[in-house]
Amino acid sequence: MTEKKTATLSLEDGSTFTGFSFGARRSTLGEVVFNTAMTGYPESLTDPSYSGQILVLTFPLVGNYGVPPMETEGGLPRFFESDRIHISALVISDYSFEYSHWNAVKSLDLWLAENNVPGIYGVDTRQVTKIIRERGVMLGGVTLEGEPLPTAFDDPNRRNLVAEVSCRQVETYGDGPLKVALVDCGCKYNIIRCLVRRGATVMRVPWDYDFTALDYDGVMISNGPGDPQMCGATVANIRKAIEIGRPIFGICMGNQLLSLAAGATTYKLKYGHRSHNQPVLMAGTDKAFITSQNHGYAVDPSKLGGEWEPSFVNLNDGTNEGIRHRTKPFFSAQFHPEATSGPVDTEFLFDKFIEEIKAWKR
Amino acid sequence: MEEIKKVILLGSGALKIGEAGEFDYSGSQALKALREEGIETVLINPNIATIQTSESVADKVYFLLVTPDFVEQVIEKERPQGILLAFGGQTALNCGVKLYQSGVLERYNVRVLGTPVQAIIDTEDREKFVQKLDQIDVRTIKSEAVTTVADARRVAAELGYPVIIRAAYTLGGLGSGFCDNEQELETLAAKAFTYSPQILVEKSLKGWKEVEYEVVRDRYDNCITVCNMENFDPLGIHTGESIVVAPSQTLTNSEYHKLRELAIKIIRHIGIVGECNVQYALDPGSEDYRVIEVNARLSRSSALASKATGYPLAFVAAKLGLGYGLHELKNSVTRSTTACFEPALDYIVCKIPRWDLGKFKGVSRELGSSMKSVGEVMAIGRNFEEALQKGLRMIGQGMHGFVANKELEVENIDEALSHPTDKRIFIIANALHNGYPVDRIHALTRIDRWFLEKLRGIVDLERELGRVQSLETLPDGLLREAKGKGFSDFQIARIVFKTGSEGSMEREVARVRDHRKEHGIRPVVKQIDTLAAEYPAMTNYLYLTYNGTSHDVDFPCDGQSVAVLGSGAYRIGSSVEFDWCSVNAVDAIRRSGLKAIMINYNPETVSTDYDVCDRLYFDELTLERVLDITDLEQPRGVIVSVGGQIPNNLALRLDHNHVPILGTQAGDIDRAEDRHKFSSMCDALGIDQPRWKELTSLEEIYKFADEVGFPLLIRPSYVLSGAAMNVVSNRDELEGFLTLATNVSKQHPVVVTEFIENAKEIEIDAVARDGEVLIYAISEHVEFAGVHSGDATIVFPPQKMYVETMRRIKKTAGQIARGLNISGPFNMQLMAKNNEIKVIECNLRASRSFPFVSKVLKVNFVDIATRVMLGLPVETPSKSAFDLDYVGIKAPQFSFSRLQKADPVLGVEMASTGEVGCIGEDFSEAILKAMLSVGYTIPRKSVLLSTGDSRSKTDMLGAAQALQRGGYKIYATRGTADFLALNGVEAEVLHWPDSDQQPNTLDYIKERRIDLVVNVPKNLTPGELSNDYTIRRSAIDFNIPLITNARLASAFIEAFCRIRRSEITIKSWNEY
């Protein structure tokens, strides 16, 4: 690190928090959200769902184990969820200048700088979280010492963030017998890994690509950033896929888009679910799971078509955590069965998807 | 299935090393959970000082030992439908397994709630455990026995180097060692085969990280991991001996969740219902791991995890045992979200063990795979440095944090780093001060560099502060940073003012405090809410930090709150009894309609349960921190007299800082604490004390010795090595002790007291108001004065005391209460010989025996004392101790077996780690119950007597005769045998261990041909002690009951010769 410089997080409501700058030395704007996970910054920071967001980590000690190398395996980086950092800025309490881990090659500070993403440490992130919890997610900015605080904020949700992070052309991974069309709304790479590991050839297509024209056995609709209402093109394609009838599995944004296609509506949560400890109950059972989540919008299942039903519900606030078709192999989860980062308890949903594909093929 | 209406819970008995206060906490939580369901609860636990054995916690309490025979009798009497085995440590678990295996549970149709016994057996039996985990491809630590070097080579190649070689069937690690390659293996294996025909080859995990998970499972197979924890010290040091942080700090997401997934896989496969703990070794260079062990019960770690996260593990485990699902229970912190979740922390906790090895003669200080610590603290901060430095102050051994302490003198730093002792963390500070780079410390300790870098950062900050010449030139930013990294005002004062001694620091510390307050540098109060602020929580579980900008709570400052200062870490001399006192004070405050604020930092306690009080500050009991809290809370007053010596010592300084002390005033407390002031008051009142003087030169001491004669009790104010107090019997010993072990000078005076032999020791526990005694309890020690009151066996009401003595004691207590204007609890220790009484000491606070006398008398002394301190009316109980139709005995629990090489002898320094209290129909029955409860067994056929001086020999004669009548085979050392023969008791002579004559005591002990060893030293001189040391130590090492006091031995022997184990009455507390 060069000399210490301060940086300030300012929120729409006028509150400011001054800490010290690390990572890229620049100012930026975004939507301020918090995450309560205690591990997994290399995974979270590269999660495209955070696109446009200033991420506040409630766990105070960050950077402890550095950043792993950018090695690739099967065409994907082994330790990250995409090729770059997607957050706009990172806000933490205590930064570990010295990292320690056998698999680390650089510090978080350097990695942020390389990705041109600014960070602030020394902020009371619990207090920021409480403000967001009380007043809802807010726009905000990170301002480097000596620069003027922002007077106007920019709402990234008014942009089509999915379009910004989705791939530009069809890419293929794996060579398994099952052909899965993956609609990339900002896909985390572990979704691809989970599918390939189970014998799938994954055809990753742009968000608005008409995948129904492809020769596929099942459709995976990925996670992604922002407001699902922006993805009309995807919803239209999903409706087509529903007609076709081959298995469909949606995750996070994928749950919202499948729900929209199934007649439900979506709305913006006050402050979203971003953590590794969200409990969900499988509808109609006593089976509960701890899940990793990262979403600001949720599904209102009340207008779901009669052939559909909620499949999971959040045990804390009762929000929808997934839907399924009563008779056909269409289902989705609001949480992240692919985890990374977070608990892996619901990875069995990929098994289920693969089983459905196999059943359909028979 | 029969409905559960009544449940028995097995407690853990006396606190001992490895099984301590955490089980009072978990048992109390479980009982609370059952009560909430309307289930009748029966508790078996002889530990009378616990919260769980209090009136309002369980419906019935049996102060009986937790062994299959007694538990069966209670089952027969109570006929419960269910039993809980997981809340009383290993004691309860072992007892439960035996009850299951012997068919008792089935016979009485008692259902084990929670984890099935078979699952417990699968985790306890090493072989079954390994097989069980093999079934699901989970790696365990395996060793293979081989008989040839070639086989050793093959096994080592399979396991991968480095490996450990252990020679089988040898003690003390003979022939064991590490091998890094085949060559080393061949050399070592060859050597090992010279000791033993068989050697074990095991993969060495030296330097691997040690990580634990607390896992919960319900009957629907839902699983959560409540917390993970990482040891600061790598594998090789028992987790109870290690500094531990939660959550883990050096694990990536992949490692964290890999181990989490495995933990869930294991708990499912084993079939736990409730809670269990999984310990891992994790390779610091890959994701390779091994499962070390699984504890299918609540544990010390689970208590820590509960406090670290706010997740009430024991409470939830009890509910799950009743059949609830996790998702059917609420998160008791938020009260709105579900209990089926995994806490998100937004802070770090640091657990630090508390050792008391200085109290033991001869004990090995090296840390290893067995536990020696007697207690622990938990510190909460928003970075590691803050938590660690807080914690190092909390352990209460004169340290101010990681730096700015009196530097240890270390001869060989490399050696000290690679052979960890209880001083390890301060050796690291020393190494850093001596310019050791982190890499070198890492190489010697294998502690992860992340931790070491943080420690280096503290030392760097210390250096930066050291460059500042005055407070005025101390930049705010630097001061803020230092406070954020856990520096106390004291540390800052010492570093900035560059002053030496501690006594003169008070003014400087106050200047730092004032300075930082003027500059707006104050701590903020944060909540522990289990969800990292994601959901609003009404929680009152709080800590202070400098790494934050706003408080989480408001401070009403309405004069309606009272702060209770708790007891801090459990240690020898201050344990669960003060937690009982603290909790009862809090209860009394709340019942009176006021708000109770609790300050304490011991994760093993009930007082640090957030639902016990209105506000819990889980934080330091230093003057600085208590003032921070009183500044914010502005309580009506502070109670310093229920938490033992730590709060008591703060009284005067709190008073100087205008904090209102409730009850006896600080100045009066000081008059009791200050030896000189107390003495002059006693003189003025005509109260006798053993003669004593505070002296500063050897000449003066010799002169005093000539006046009062030997033996003398010496209490140095500065100790070089060994125990602080000593008894000397002649001039040579006096000189030896004063020149070798202490330093006598003007700065370090020595208190010399006459030591009266063969005097009865008596305690009085009492409560007074405005100097008038309201209630008192007099109890007597079985042992004569000279055994520390914490190690003595105490009888209440006294059975062998002159009425005259009693009257005089009462009168003296009244005079002192008036003289010190006592309002609140107090305790006095006195000596009596021929009706002459002398006051040994007086404490104006609740004592160790308050819960004991309160429960035996069924009058809550702390409740009365608290009401007095609050200025509320008190009903004076009419009950007098003489009316009791039963006898209570409090007996000490020792943990010598854990303390390798320590001499298990009793003296003026306390050595016991816990206690029990039992009630009996008469003295004999009570003492029998109490002695059995602390681990003694009735000998089957043979007893070894070695009974010291002629006085002890005479004392023991009756007992020896009883043994003879009872048909016991008596072995004795030469002198004792001769004495017994003269008195018509037949004894076979066994020779001293240092002689090579046969038959020899040592062989008989090793061959376990003796069932009870009575070894009474003639006196406490080093020469005499070393003489019998081998007998005592081998009795401990071979697990043969040992008594070292003639009067106690007589009482025990006469009791078991008169009453059979099966004749002991099974009565619950309320039946007396």
Side-chain angles (χ1 to χ4, degrees):
Chain A
M1 291 273 296
T2 44
E3 56 158 336
K4 251 183 172 180
K5 268 197 156 183
T6 65
T8 301
L9 168 72
S10 34
L11 302 179
E12 231 178 333
D13 72 347
S15 30
T16 58
F17 293 84
T18 298
F20 298 97
S21 161
F22 77 124
R25 297 223 151 165
R26 66 182 190 88
S27 303
T28 192
L29 298 173
E31 183 184 35
V32 184
V33 299
F34 66 85
N35 185 318
T36 66
M38 299 185 287
T39 60
Y41 56 85
E43 292 87 351
S44 295
L45 268 52
T46 53
D47 176 353
S49 295
Y50 281 115
S51 186
Q53 294 176 329
I54 295 173
L55 179 61
V56 178
L57 298 183
T58 61
F59 189 71
L61 297 88
V62 182
N64 304 12
Y65 49 82
V67 177
M70 192 42 104
E71 291 167 12
T72 54
E73 189 180 28
L76 298 171
R78 277 178 72 184
F79 304 108
F80 302 99
E81 287 309 301
S82 69
D83 299 318
R84 62 179 175 91
I85 296 179
H86 280 278
I87 57 166
S88 299
L90 182 66
V91 180
I92 63 168
S93 177
D94 190 67
Y95 175 62
S96 275
F97 286 91
E98 306 292 338
Y99 61 88
S100 165
H101 198 270
W102 59 271
N103 196 30
V105 293
K106 63 180 80 158
S107 69
L108 173 59
D109 173 45
L110 179 62
W111 188 45
L112 285 170
E114 284 172 358
N115 279 269
N116 200 26
V117 174
I120 316 180
Y121 70 92
V123 168
D124 185 345
T125 52
R126 179 175 171 87
Q127 184 57 23
V128 179
T129 301
K130 282 174 64 189
I131 292 174
I132 296 172
R133 178 187 83 203
E134 297 307 324
R135 295 173 214 167
V137 258
M138 264 182 270
L139 302 179
V142 165
T143 312
L144 194 63
E145 180 179 341
E147 294 180 18
L149 292 180
T151 46
F153 295 94
D154 170 39
D155 185 354
N157 295 309
R158 299 222 295 259
R159 311 202 304 262
N160 188 339
L161 293 169
V162 166
E164 289 176 22
V165 298
S166 180
C167 58
R168 301 281 173 255
Q169 62 207 37
V170 180
E171 285 168 54
T172 306
Y173 305 88
D175 51 7
L178 310 174
K179 293 185 288 291
V180 174
L182 166 65
V183 183
D184 179 9
C185 301
C187 164
K188 281 167 71 186
Y189 285 167
N190 209 40
I191 294 179
I192 302 174
R193 294 185 200 108
C194 285
L195 292 170
V196 169
R197 210 182 299 140
R198 285 170 174 77
T201 297
V202 175
M203 297 167 287
R204 176 185 175 197
V205 305
W207 68 284
D208 54 353
Y209 187 91
D210 185 1
F211 57 86
T212 57
L214 295 172
D215 170 22
Y216 73 93
D217 302 319
V219 188
M220 174 88 229
I221 311 157
S222 85
N223 63 299
D227 186 343
Q229 315 271 9
M230 295 280 179
C231 302
T234 320
V235 174
N237 288 331
I238 295 170
R239 288 205 174 109
K240 281 205 253 173
I242 289 173
E243 289 307 315
I244 294 168
R246 289 171 210 168
I248 304 173
F249 178 18
I251 290 177
C252 196
M253 173 65 86
N255 176 55
Q256 295 160 11
L257 298 178
L258 183 66
S259 299
L260 288 173
T265 53
T266 57
Y267 62 99
K268 190 166 194 201
L269 291 167
K270 191 172 177 192
Y271 48 88
H273 291 159
R274 291 177 189 85
S275 61
H276 289 174
N277 63 347
Q278 294 286 338
V280 303
L281 190 72
M282 192 185 275
T285 72
D286 284 307
K287 300 293 291 175
F289 304 94
I290 303 298
T291 65
S292 175
Q293 300 199 8
N294 175 14
H295 61 108
Y297 291 82
V299 170
D300 174 359
S302 60
K303 293 207 184 77
L304 267 182
E307 294 177 304
W308 297 81
E309 62 184 1
S311 55
F312 290 97
V313 62
N314 189 300
L315 272 168
N316 278 339
D317 61 10
T319 54
N320 177 263
E321 291 287 0
I323 62 162
R324 65 183 165 220
H325 194 276
R326 289 184 199 272
T327 54
K328 293 183 178 157
F330 312 147
F331 63 99
S332 58
Q334 186 57 55
F335 48 87
H336 289 269
E338 83 286 5
T340 54
S341 52
V344 296
D345 302 6
T346 49
E347 209 182 301
F348 66 86
L349 288 176
F350 285 98
D351 297 330
K352 185 178 170 210
F353 180 49
I354 296 295
E355 285 311 310
E356 297 283 11
I357 292 176
K358 286 179 181 165
W360 181 85
K361 285 190 81 168
R362 281 197 294 271
Chain B
M1 213 183 293
E2 201 183 346
E3 196 196 340
I4 302 284
K5 290 188 199 120
K6 191 195 258 190
V7 168
I8 286 198
L9 187 139
L10 304 185
S12 67
L15 271 60
K16 40 203 163 293
I17 291 179
E19 206 176 23
E22 63 270 19
F23 299 113
D24 186 21
Y25 161 70
S26 36
S28 300
Q29 286 244 325
L31 291 165
K32 201 185 288 177
L34 295 177
R35 244 189 184 199
E36 207 181 76
E37 300 292 325
I39 293 170
E40 189 183 345
T41 52
V42 179
L43 169 67
I44 307 177
N45 189 357
N47 193 337
I48 203 163
T50 53
I51 314 292
Q52 58 180 257
T53 56
S54 300
E55 229 169 324
S56 52
V57 182
D59 292 301
K60 275 187 189 166
V61 178
Y62 286 86
F63 294 118
L64 286 173
L65 52 161
V66 183
T67 52
D69 54 342
F70 285 96
V71 175
E72 180 177 354
Q73 290 180 73
V74 175
I75 288 174
E76 189 180 9
K77 187 171 159 196
E78 296 286 348
R79 298 291 177 153
Q81 291 82 39
I83 187 165
L84 286 171
L85 308 175
F87 300 86
Q90 204 58 37
T91 301
L93 207 64
N94 291 348
C95 179
V97 169
K98 284 187 196 142
L99 288 167
Y100 168 80
Q101 285 170 334
S102 66
V104 169
L105 298 180
E106 199 182 10
R107 189 152 65 245
Y108 293 96
N109 207 9
V110 182
R111 188 141 58 94
V112 175
L113 305 180
T115 301
V117 177
Q118 190 53 50
I120 298 171
I121 296 169
D122 288 344
T123 58
E124 293 286 305
D125 179 317
R126 188 74 208 168
E127 215 170 303
K128 283 189 183 143
F129 175 68
V130 169
Q131 281 171 9
K132 195 87 187 162
L133 295 202
D134 278 349
Q135 291 164 5
I136 49 168
D137 297 322
V138 171
R139 293 177 188 173
T140 47
I141 300 176
K142 287 179 193 169
S143 59
E144 198 169 316
V146 295
T147 51
T148 66
V149 174
D151 274 350
R153 210 167 15 196
R154 174 186 56 77
V155 172
E158 278 167 28
L159 294 170
Y161 288 94
V163 295
I164 310 177
I165 292 221
R166 297 181 206 279
Y169 319 113
T170 60
L171 281 176
L174 278 176
S176 301
F178 293 94
C179 320
D180 280 324
N181 51 52
E182 197 167 292
Q183 202 178 357
E184 282 180 30
L185 175 95
E186 287 188 6
T187 319
L188 201 68
K191 195 173 132 218
F193 280 123
T194 64
Y195 292 102
S196 162
Q198 192 187 65
I199 62 170
L200 299 171
V201 184
E202 187 178 302
K203 183 163 176 66
S204 164
L205 305 178
K206 205 160 110 179
W208 283 34
K209 297 178 187 185
E210 194 169 344
V211 183
E212 296 181 54
Y213 281 72
E214 298 301 319
V215 204
V216 179
R217 177 174 174 268
D218 68 16
R219 69 185 178 102
Y220 302 106
D221 207 23
N222 295 321
C223 298
I224 57 167
T225 63
V226 164
C227 184
N228 90 337
M229 293 178 265
E230 176 177 5
N231 286 13
F232 168 89
D233 300 290
L235 204 71
I237 294 182
H238 190 286
T239 176
E241 302 286 89
S242 181
I243 292 176
V244 174
V245 295
S248 63
Q249 292 301 312
T250 71
L251 269 59
T252 60
N253 178 72
S254 168
E255 291 164 331
Y256 182 106
H257 286 287
K258 177 177 182 172
L259 298 185
R260 177 187 173 280
E261 189 188 13
L262 283 167
I264 289 175
K265 193 171 167 186
I266 293 167
I267 193 174
R268 285 190 166 137
H269 186 63
I270 292 175
I272 306 284
V273 176
E275 200 268 355
C276 88
N277 155 288
V278 184
Q279 280 175 36
Y280 295 101
L282 178 66
D283 184 356
S286 77
E287 287 191 5
D288 197 9
Y289 74 92
R290 296 290 182 281
V291 174
I292 302 170
E293 64 174 24
V294 170
N295 283 306
R297 56 170 169 82
L298 277 294
S299 62
R300 180 179 46 259
S301 297
S302 65
L304 181 66
S306 293
K307 304 291 180 179
T309 60
Y311 191 98
L313 272 169
F315 184 86
V316 169
K319 294 273 186 180
L320 300 185
L322 292 173
Y324 282 97
L326 273 166
H327 57 295
E328 293 163 339
L329 302 172
K330 280 268 167 264
N331 175 341
S332 43
V333 171
T334 60
R335 291 177 217 157
S336 61
T337 56
T338 172
C340 183
F341 79 111
E342 300 190 350
L345 282 60
D346 57 5
Y347 50 86
I348 174 176
V349 310
C350 183
K351 177 215 90 172
I352 305 180
R354 155 86 191 206
W355 291 275
D356 260 330
L357 299 177
K359 299 255 183 195
F360 300 97
K361 289 186 178 74
V363 71
S364 156
R365 297 186 89 109
E366 203 161 314
L367 305 185
S369 54
S370 78
M371 186 167 161
K372 292 175 184 174
S373 64
V374 289
E376 62 190 33
V377 302
M378 182 182 96
I380 309 168
R382 284 175 55 82
N383 59 41
F384 175 68
E385 300 89 324
E386 183 178 41
L388 180 84
Q389 294 222 72
K390 271 185 174 187
L392 291 175
R393 287 190 284 276
M394 290 171 173
I395 54 174
Q397 282 170 324
M399 295 304 188
H400 302 285
F402 183 63
V403 294
N405 299 310
K406 200 165 77 114
E407 191 84 11
L408 293 176
E409 284 171 32
V410 187
E411 267 177 38
N412 182 337
I413 298 177
D414 281 29
E415 178 72 18
L417 285 171
S418 51
H419 290 91
T421 63
D422 53 335
K423 300 278 184 290
R424 148 166 275 198
I425 186 77
F426 301 109
I427 303 283
I428 296 173
N430 192 305
L432 288 166
H433 285 146
N434 281 289
Y436 273 53
V438 161
D439 278 345
R440 184 160 168 203
I441 301 175
H442 171 71
L444 291 163
T445 61
R446 293 279 150 201
I447 294 170
D448 194 284
R449 285 186 187 82
W450 184 83
F451 293 111
L452 297 174
E453 287 290 358
K454 296 284 179 187
L455 297 179
R456 187 185 54 89
I458 297 175
V459 171
D460 288 349
L461 198 50
E462 178 193 26
R463 292 207 177 104
E464 205 177 333
L465 283 169
R467 284 192 285 272
V468 174
Q469 294 307 321
S470 69
L471 269 187
E472 292 65 38
T473 57
L474 172 61
D476 276 5
L478 181 58
L479 177 56
R480 209 178 280 279
E481 191 181 349
K483 295 305 287 182
K485 301 285 183 204
F487 281 74
S488 66
D489 291 347
F490 183 100
Q491 285 173 296
I492 292 166
R494 181 176 262 182
I495 299 166
V496 172
F497 296 122
K498 291 149 191 79
T499 48
S501 81
E502 317 230 329
S504 61
M505 290 288 293
E506 211 168 312
R507 235 191 50 219
E508 285 84 349
V509 177
R511 277 183 58 202
V512 172
R513 182 180 184 84
D514 293 342
H515 173 86
R516 69 167 171 77
K517 281 167 75 175
E518 278 164 29
H519 290 246
I521 301 170
R522 297 163 196 252
V524 294
V525 175
K526 295 283 183 194
Q527 291 170 315
I528 289 189
D529 66 6
T530 71
L531 284 167
E534 186 185 355
Y535 284 86
M538 300 306 291
T539 176
N540 56 351
Y541 184 3
L542 309 169
Y543 69 99
L544 279 77
T545 177
Y546 280 90
N547 297 295
T549 45
S550 5
H551 297 300
D552 277 351
V553 292
D554 297 325
F555 306 97
C557 300
D558 53 5
Q560 294 301 302
S561 64
V562 173
V564 177
L565 306 192
S567 65
Y570 287 167
R571 68 209 96 115
I572 290 182
S574 174
S575 183
V576 67
E577 58 277 359
F578 292 113
D579 200 48
W580 182 85
C581 293
S582 302
V583 170
N584 277 276
V586 163
D587 283 349
I589 292 165
R590 299 181 86 185
R591 270 200 310 276
S592 75
L594 296 166
K595 300 266 181 235
I597 296 168
M598 182 74 219
I599 310 175
N600 199 8
Y601 50 77
N602 181 340
E604 304 176 288
T605 57
V606 176
S607 65
T608 54
D609 243 1
Y610 49 82
D611 57 356
V612 161
C613 57
D614 295 292
R615 263 188 187 177
L616 168 65
Y617 283 92
F618 204 106
D619 220 300
E620 295 175 61
L621 285 164
T622 52
L623 179 71
E624 175 179 344
R625 193 38 41 102
V626 174
L627 288 177
D628 290 337
I629 295 168
T630 54
D631 279 356
L632 292 167
E633 291 281 356
Q634 299 288 324
R636 175 185 292 199
V638 174
I639 290 181
V640 296
S641 55
V642 293
Q645 205 55 33
I646 290 177
N648 199 52
N649 288 347
L650 282 177
L652 205 56
R653 285 177 293 156
L654 285 173
D655 185 59
H656 290 163
N657 283 279
H658 316 291
V659 175
I661 306 286
L662 296 185
T664 312
Q665 286 308 288
D668 293 320
I669 296 175
D670 184 51
R671 286 205 292 141
E673 291 286 313
D674 183 303
R675 211 181 287 281
H676 296 278
K677 291 178 187 166
F678 185 66
S679 253
S680 36
M681 183 191 72
C682 284
D683 290 346
L685 295 171
I687 295 168
D688 203 7
Q689 283 189 287
R691 282 171 291 173
W692 67 277
K693 263 193 178 145
E694 189 175 271
L695 302 167
T696 54
S697 74
L698 286 173
E699 293 69 42
E700 288 174 335
I701 295 172
Y702 294 142
K703 193 160 156 271
F704 181 71
D706 288 340
E707 276 169 45
V708 304
F710 287 96
L712 289 172
L713 175 66
I714 315 285
R715 261 181 281 210
S717 56
Y718 180 75
V719 186
L720 293 175
S721 69
M725 274 195 281
N726 225 322
V727 176
V728 293
S729 302
N730 54 52
R731 204 177 154 118
D732 281 352
E733 282 173 22
L734 175 65
E735 201 172 315
F737 181 63
L738 290 178
T739 51
L740 289 178
T742 78
N743 204 343
V744 188
S745 66
K746 283 260 188 295
Q747 285 81 41
H748 303 297
V750 169
V751 174
V752 184
T753 312
E754 96 181 289
F755 186 85
I756 299 166
E757 291 178 289
N758 300 322
K760 191 180 252 311
E761 188 163 336
I762 296 156
E763 311 246 346
I764 176 165
D765 293 308
V767 180
R769 189 208 318 259
D770 302 327
E772 282 308 311
V773 174
L774 297 178
I775 182 160
Y776 69 94
I778 294 171
S779 40
E780 66 183 336
H781 293 194
V782 171
E783 300 84 351
F784 278 141
V787 171
H788 190 285
S789 71
D791 286 349
T793 312
I794 294 178
V795 189
F796 173 73
Q799 303 294 302
K800 290 170 185 167
M801 195 186 290
Y802 298 122
V803 178
E804 172 69 10
T805 304
M806 205 110 82
R807 207 164 43 74
R808 289 190 186 185
I809 289 166
K810 201 180 148 191
K811 185 173 160 225
T812 304
Q815 286 174 300
I816 286 183
R818 263 190 303 284
L820 293 170
N821 198 25
I822 299 175
S823 278
F826 73 103
N827 156 278
M828 277 200 308
Q829 283 151 38
L830 308 101
M831 264 192 262
K833 202 169 176 177
N834 311 322
N835 277 329
E836 296 289 325
I837 63 163
K838 292 177 199 286
V839 174
I840 306 172
E841 76 176 59
C842 176
N843 295 305
L844 303 197
R845 53 167 174 81
S847 75
R848 202 175 297 116
S849 38
F850 262 56
F852 169 65
V853 297
S854 293
K855 287 182 186 175
V856 174
L857 201 53
K858 298 185 184 176
V859 174
N860 190 327
F861 277 43
V862 169
D863 185 62
I864 295 174
T866 306
R867 289 185 65 83
V868 166
M869 291 187 275
L870 296 175
L872 299 170
V874 173
E875 265 179 66
T876 319
S878 55
K879 214 179 236 174
S880 153
F882 300 101
D883 292 342
L884 301 185
D885 299 327
Y886 51 86
V887 179
I889 300 243
K890 177 165 101 68
Q893 168 81 49
F894 298 95
S895 299
F896 289 119
S897 61
R898 297 267 184 176
L899 300 159
Q900 291 99 324
K901 299 183 191 165
D903 188 350
V905 75
L906 305 189
V908 286
E909 282 276 7
M910 183 166 162
S912 62
T913 55
E915 62 184 36
V916 299
C918 293
I919 300 174
E921 305 292 321
D922 59 18
F923 175 76
S924 289
E925 200 203 31
I927 200 149
L928 192 56
K929 280 183 181 172
M931 295 293 280
L932 294 175
S933 295
V934 292
Y936 287 92
T937 48
I938 297 176
R940 280 182 308 122
K941 48 182 199 295
S942 53
V943 177
L944 169 66
L945 301 179
S946 166
T947 52
D949 64 6
S950 55
R951 165 95 204 188
S952 302
K953 285 189 167 60
T954 317
D955 276 351
M956 285 287 301
L957 185 58
Q961 287 162 340
L963 284 173
Q964 179 157 288
R965 278 196 306 278
Y968 282 96
K969 169 78 182 169
I970 301 174
Y971 295 103
T973 47
R974 169 65 68 196
T976 307
D978 290 348
F979 172 85
L980 291 175
L982 278 176
N983 291 282
V985 177
E986 206 179 304
E988 186 179 334
V989 175
L990 295 185
H991 295 283
W992 290 95
D994 57 357
S995 108
D996 43 19
Q997 282 174 277
Q998 299 295 329
N1000 194 287
T1001 44
L1002 200 54
D1003 297 332
Y1004 273 56
I1005 290 171
K1006 282 184 180 170
E1007 288 157 24
R1008 302 186 50 98
R1009 291 166 72 173
I1010 292 164
D1011 303 320
L1012 171 67
V1013 174
V1014 179
N1015 175 274
V1016 184
K1018 291 194 177 70
N1019 50 54
L1020 297 180
T1021 63
E1024 171 63 20
L1025 289 181
S1026 66
N1027 197 18
D1028 301 6
Y1029 168 79
T1030 315
I1031 293 185
R1032 288 190 296 270
R1033 191 61 226 180
S1034 41
I1036 296 295
D1037 290 339
F1038 290 91
N1039 199 20
I1040 297 171
L1042 167 76
I1043 303 180
T1044 62
N1045 182 284
R1047 288 171 58 85
L1048 180 63
S1050 295
F1052 179 51
I1053 289 170
E1054 281 170 24
F1056 72 68
C1057 286
R1058 203 164 70 69
I1059 306 168
R1060 270 194 290 258
R1061 189 174 168 118
S1062 57
E1063 290 169 352
I1064 289 174
T1065 52
I1066 306 295
K1067 275 166 86 169
S1068 67
W1069 180 24
N1070 55 0
E1071 289 174 279
Y1072 285 101

